[in-house]
Amino acid sequence: MKLLKISICLSLFMVACKNKSDDAKKNTESIVVEKPTVKFNPVDNVELSGGTLYRAELFPSSYITPRPVDVWLPDNYSADKKYNVLYMHDGQMLFDAKTTWNKQEWKVDEWATNLQKEGKVKDFIVVAIHNISNIRWLDLFPKKAFDFIDAQKQAELKSIPMAVEFKLSGDDYLRFLVNELKPLIDEKYSVYTDKEHTFVMGSSMGGLMSMYAISEYPTIFGGAACISTHWIGSMPMADNPYPKAIFEYMKINLPESKDQKLYFDYGDKTLDAYYPKYASQVDEILESKGYNEINSKNIFFEGADHSENSWNVRLDQPLTFLLGI
């Protein structure tokens, strides 16, 4: 009997140690550093109003499908000073409408150049991760939010015909960004490496991923801008389970307001017409996490639709919110 008690105690101790070890592993996952050999070359076929664009045509990754990554440097970029870093999704849509599929752009170079020259924002560079169109949704959906959908509904959603296998890769996308891309940017460019100077921004599914990035890696990102955030999660559908799942995830995982900045916005035309009904839930979650009007925004732009032409009109709002002086 005594031996049995000792055996049980040892077993419980080992389980407790394992749980602590698992917790430690989770809390330090973002510290992993993997720096592949990558060369960024000047991009000649992109017309800019300011700054210089460099591109790694196929950034290697152990986590996600390799794709182009761009780095935009402001005019008079100098290794003698430090810059903030803004990571952005859908990188091919940011700089030149002549090269985009819909002939629209975010006008990132225009806004970033003018705001920095006018002294309205801190000096910063932009790291732009291109999407791969047929797997964009799989890359940018917050994977852990899917766990808040019941198993039967998950099976139904997975059975919806897709051009590729239903395999959510949002966690791997973030591992790529944090463990492979950021360490290389930190080494290659004259940038601050701490969370206070590191931000993430995207629109639509990129808005969801920006929220997910700051939730999963709050020690890496000090602020996120989520433009026309795609709260419906997928295409519009009856009895849509995605919004509830996303908000349940946020209630648990969105970081407290202590040292973070969170920006959300939305319009009411085209796909944005589905978003206003969720604004109050976003406000409630922000309030529950201690956010106020100083460190968070959830702005309605009446008449704005779901397009780069709408986002480029108001891009100064998230940029000055995250990087304002």
Side-chain angles (χ1 to χ4, degrees):
M1 180 63 70
K2 185 176 180 180
L3 289 175
L4 178 60
K5 289 182 179 180
I6 293 173
S7 178
I8 291 172
C9 289
L10 286 173
S11 296
L12 291 173
F13 177 77
M14 291 174 67
V15 169
C17 290
K18 182 181 185 300
N19 289 338
K20 289 181 180 179
S21 176
D22 289 344
D23 289 342
K25 182 178 180 181
K26 178 180 179 182
N27 293 333
T28 61
E29 181 181 5
S30 61
I31 297 175
V32 176
V33 175
E34 301 172 23
K35 293 181 288 189
T37 302
V38 178
K39 185 175 183 181
F40 287 91
N41 297 308
V43 182
D44 298 324
N45 66 335
V46 172
E47 185 177 317
L48 300 172
S49 67
T52 309
L53 195 68
Y54 296 85
R55 176 172 298 161
E57 286 292 348
L58 209 61
F59 197 106
S61 175
S62 300
Y63 298 107
I64 60 172
T65 304
R67 80 265 326 268
V69 173
D70 294 344
V71 174
W72 178 85
L73 303 180
D75 293 325
N76 301 317
Y77 168 84
S78 172
D80 294 330
K81 61 180 181 180
K82 296 286 188 180
Y83 294 79
N84 292 259
V85 185
L86 175 62
Y87 290 90
M88 297 188 69
H89 316 294
D90 300 318
Q92 66 264 53
M93 305 300 296
L94 305 183
F95 300 105
D96 185 2
K98 294 184 182 68
T99 63
T100 65
W101 69 270
N102 62 358
K103 304 308 176 186
Q104 298 182 31
E105 60 167 297
W106 282 64
K107 296 187 177 179
V108 168
D109 50 311
E110 284 92 335
W111 278 114
T113 297
N114 292 336
L115 290 172
Q116 290 186 64
K117 284 183 177 179
E118 293 167 5
K120 294 182 178 180
V121 296
K122 301 168 186 174
D123 294 325
F124 71 96
I125 73 171
V126 177
V127 180
I129 306 164
H130 287 220
N131 71 58
I132 299 175
S133 60
N134 68 323
I135 58 172
R136 177 177 180 268
W137 187 86
L138 298 170
D139 277 344
L140 298 182
F141 185 83
K143 185 176 184 295
K144 291 185 177 66
F146 197 72
D147 296 336
F148 288 87
I149 299 174
D150 68 72
Q152 181 178 345
K153 195 64 180 179
Q154 283 188 15
E156 293 175 9
L157 293 169
K158 290 178 180 179
S159 69
I160 296 175
M162 298 182 69
V164 294
E165 178 188 1
F166 190 101
K167 184 179 179 182
L168 297 176
S169 50
D171 287 349
D172 282 337
Y173 181 89
L174 286 180
R175 291 185 183 102
F176 155 73
L177 199 166
V178 170
N179 296 335
E180 294 177 329
L181 179 57
K182 184 180 185 298
L184 189 141
I185 297 299
D186 290 348
E187 181 182 80
K188 184 174 179 63
Y189 296 98
S190 183
V191 298
Y192 295 105
T193 61
D194 60 325
K195 65 174 284 184
E196 183 181 353
H197 301 90
T198 306
F199 306 94
V200 59
M201 180 189 294
S203 65
S204 192
M205 292 300 300
L208 282 181
M209 178 48 65
S210 298
M211 175 279 294
Y212 197 49
I214 201 170
S215 298
E216 292 294 302
Y217 293 94
T219 63
I220 299 295
F221 301 104
C226 312
I227 317 298
S228 290
T229 309
H230 196 53
W231 300 120
I232 63 174
S234 183
M235 294 301 293
M237 68 177 79
D239 301 319
N240 188 346
Y242 283 117
K244 181 180 179 181
I246 292 167
F247 291 130
E248 288 300 315
Y249 167 84
M250 290 174 64
K251 289 175 184 177
I252 297 172
N253 295 284
L254 199 71
E256 301 288 339
S257 64
K258 182 176 62 174
D259 52 2
Q260 306 283 2
K261 292 182 178 180
L262 276 170
Y263 173 100
F264 297 95
D265 73 20
Y266 58 100
D268 59 358
K269 302 298 180 185
T270 62
L271 199 55
D272 269 41
Y274 293 92
Y275 304 154
K277 65 183 291 186
Y278 300 111
S280 61
Q281 294 184 61
V282 176
D283 290 337
E284 289 172 6
I285 293 173
L286 289 172
E287 184 178 356
S288 73
K289 297 288 183 174
Y291 287 91
N292 55 42
E293 60 184 15
I294 296 175
N295 55 22
S296 71
K297 301 289 181 184
N298 187 22
I299 307 175
F300 172 50
F301 291 92
E302 185 174 3
D305 65 17
H306 197 84
S307 70
E308 285 77 13
N309 282 344
S310 283
W311 303 326
N312 69 36
V313 170
R314 63 186 194 255
L315 185 58
D316 61 318
Q317 297 289 320
L319 288 178
T320 54
F321 175 75
L322 292 180
L323 293 147
I325 295 176

